[in-house]
Amino acid sequence: MTKKKVLVTGITGQDGAYLAKNLLDGGHTVLGGLRRNSEGKHHRLKELRIAERINYLELDLMDQESIIRSIKETRPDELYNLAAQSFVHASWNCPAYVSQADGLGTLYILEAIRTHSPETRFYQASTSELFGNAQVSPQSETTQFNPRSPYGVAKLYAHWMTKNYREFHGLFATTGILFNHESPLRGSQFVTRKITLALARIALGQQQTLELGNLDAQRDWGYAAEYVDGMTSIVRNGTAEDYVLATGKTHTIRAFVECVSKMAGFEIEWSGQGEAEEGLDRRTGQKLVRVNPEFFRETEKIQLVGNPAKARRELGWTSRTSLPDLAELMFKADYDRVSTNSVYF
Ligand code: NAP
Ligand code: G4F
């Protein structure tokens, strides 16, 4: 395969790190878009041992000039827009910022590609949060969108702009509507990593209790390292289209906690209800989990679960790692980090 020049925004994030590793392993050149205050946040790239192999560019979604400059000067073969303020809950605290960065920032990229590098193949990181309060389950590429957060609304704007630049300006502009994907590199504010990190700390005597929101919320969780393969398949496909990437299965937060607790050597037993619910270790009585309403969100009335049939059929992409295997990967990584005092967030 010809060696490509690939620009990845959000290079310091979970997906940016795994995608960059794959691209470098494939012999491609990776240009990593970095905002000024990302400096010092290279821990994921260091963990994958690729931090030194990336050509960094200053690129902030809030700064149109930095986007134009990066694209005009490099004219990449492919551009993956993975940068975003990606924490759904926090988007209610900064709705205007999220609209600008996640929404308008994508438009700035599309405009710069149209003007300065129209041959660039573009990937937009769309999300299952576009479906929000979904009306049908499972959700596919043709399901009606109904976002329920400033993050979801901003991502919907970016999604529609990408589709419009494809259909109106003829750009090779694609989207991946990705359901939740996790890994040892996941940010610690997201629920899976919050759980694996806390239970590793509790097992090693460095934390008492884990506080969570709605234990019965469900998610369709896959392994991030496999989802970035899907992104590349979308961009290198014959036609520019939108694809759902998902496992097609959901699990509750409660089930994830039970699975990780077992790995940490606990036997969790639930008692109480609602805000008073607790998870206790059957053997010692230690309170492992407590519900904290601060972390509650509106519960989806209809399950968010993806139908990845189109990606399977047209790209040959499938999610392969089961949730227990993913939980084990994450727990082991956090246990090692806590044991060696090398935790990052
Ligand atoms: P992440 O770990 O939160 O990474 C986000 C990246 O965006 C970080 O590198 C961050 O840089 C960068 N960023 C934030 N604001 C920026 C700005 N104003 N300008 C430039 N860069 C900025 O997210 P992820 O899990 O890798 O997800 C990658 C993308 O997929 C995101 O767009 C997310 O919304 C979307 N997505 C994720 C999932 C999922 O389950 N992971 C599912 C669907 C869609 P700093 O290091 O400086 O913070
Ligand atoms: O891990 P979460 O914060 O992920 P969320 O909100 O689904 O968003 C992630 O996936 C999206 C893809 O669908 C991405 F677009 C987005 O960028 C991000 O990567 O929460 C998952 C579930 C929610 O239902 C939440 O209510 O876990 C529930 N939850 C229960 N207790 C909690 C907690 N979530 C967090 N973060 N913290 C809790 O204590």
Side-chain angles (χ1 to χ4, degrees):
M1 185 183 287
T2 26
K3 195 175 157 186
K4 295 184 193 303
K5 188 165 47 169
V6 184
L7 173 50
V8 180
T9 74
I11 192 82
T12 53
Q14 169 188 260
D15 292 3
Y18 281 119
L19 178 63
K21 167 101 174 71
N22 275 4
L23 292 166
L24 290 165
D25 288 349
H28 305 293
T29 300
V30 177
L31 312 171
L34 204 64
R35 56 177 169 163
R36 199 177 279 279
N37 64 2
S38 291
E39 278 162 26
K41 291 195 192 158
H42 292 57
H43 44 78
R44 296 186 174 92
L45 301 168
K46 284 184 183 153
E47 188 160 320
L48 298 183
R49 299 175 194 280
I50 55 170
E52 312 297 328
R53 296 172 59 201
I54 289 161
N55 302 296
Y56 298 100
L57 300 172
E58 195 177 319
L59 185 155
D60 192 321
L61 291 175
M62 300 292 285
D63 174 10
Q64 188 172 14
E65 282 307 311
S66 71
I67 292 172
I68 295 172
R69 193 172 51 244
S70 301
I71 293 172
K72 193 175 171 183
E73 284 176 7
T74 62
R75 296 169 56 89
D77 299 301
E78 296 173 356
L79 193 159
Y80 294 83
N81 181 30
L82 307 186
Q85 190 302 110
S86 74
F87 191 35
V88 179
H89 202 37
S91 71
W92 286 106
N93 300 332
C94 50
Y97 173 80
V98 170
S99 302
Q100 267 187 274
D102 299 12
L104 213 51
T106 307
L107 174 64
Y108 295 157
I109 295 176
L110 287 162
E111 256 305 283
I113 290 177
R114 181 183 75 79
T115 315
H116 301 291
S117 187
E119 298 306 315
T120 297
R121 288 190 170 210
F122 175 72
Y123 172 88
Q124 169 59 17
S126 289
T127 162
S128 49
E129 289 297 308
L130 301 184
F131 302 117
N133 194 1
Q135 304 302 305
V136 291
S137 186
Q139 296 85 37
S140 74
E141 296 78 4
T142 54
T143 302
Q144 193 182 343
F145 299 129
N146 192 17
R148 295 286 281 183
S149 63
Y151 170 79
V153 173
K155 283 284 191 177
L156 182 55
Y157 172 86
H159 182 85
W160 280 115
M161 275 298 176
T162 304
K163 194 170 154 57
N164 273 263
Y165 270 63
R166 171 168 79 219
E167 291 171 0
F168 190 76
H169 290 305
L171 296 189
F172 197 98
T174 70
T175 72
I177 306 173
L178 270 52
F179 282 66
N180 300 45
H181 44 282
E182 319 294 309
S183 75
L185 302 187
R186 188 62 146 145
S188 60
Q189 72 272 46
F190 300 100
V191 76
T192 54
R193 175 98 198 287
K194 180 174 173 183
I195 293 167
T196 57
L197 180 57
L199 283 164
R201 281 186 170 143
I202 294 171
L204 289 160
Q206 295 190 15
Q207 184 173 330
Q208 277 298 311
T209 305
L210 160 65
E211 293 190 349
L212 291 169
N214 183 0
L215 295 168
D216 294 313
Q218 304 194 15
R219 281 292 182 268
D220 176 335
W221 282 303
Y223 180 29
E226 292 166 0
Y227 283 54
V228 300
D229 285 340
M231 294 177 192
T232 316
S233 302
I234 292 171
V235 167
R236 301 194 180 156
N237 193 28
T239 50
E241 292 188 39
D242 309 309
Y243 287 94
V244 163
L245 301 187
T247 69
K249 299 186 189 100
T250 58
H251 298 84
T252 60
I253 312 297
R254 185 188 301 283
F256 192 84
V257 171
E258 287 167 0
C259 175
V260 180
S261 298
K262 207 178 277 178
M263 290 168 202
F266 302 116
E267 256 184 71
I268 201 161
E269 194 171 55
W270 302 100
S271 71
Q273 286 202 330
E275 290 181 26
E277 187 167 5
E278 293 176 340
L280 306 171
D281 180 30
R282 197 191 303 271
R283 280 179 296 231
T284 62
Q286 181 182 357
K287 192 186 293 178
L288 302 172
V289 176
R290 185 171 44 219
V291 170
N292 182 342
E294 188 193 318
F295 301 113
F296 278 153
R297 296 190 211 165
E298 180 189 46
T299 315
E300 292 84 19
K301 292 184 188 68
I302 296 187
Q303 239 179 53
L304 272 180
V305 55
N307 175 357
K310 181 181 174 193
R312 193 182 311 124
R313 194 174 58 245
E314 296 183 10
L315 306 174
W317 180 89
T318 48
S319 158
R320 297 182 304 277
T321 303
S322 70
L323 192 64
D325 287 350
L326 175 58
E328 190 175 351
L329 273 175
M330 294 178 68
F331 176 72
K332 278 189 172 158
D334 273 325
Y335 192 89
D336 286 350
R337 291 178 186 133
V338 176
S339 309
T340 55
N341 217 4
S342 55
V343 173
Y344 59 78
F345 306 98

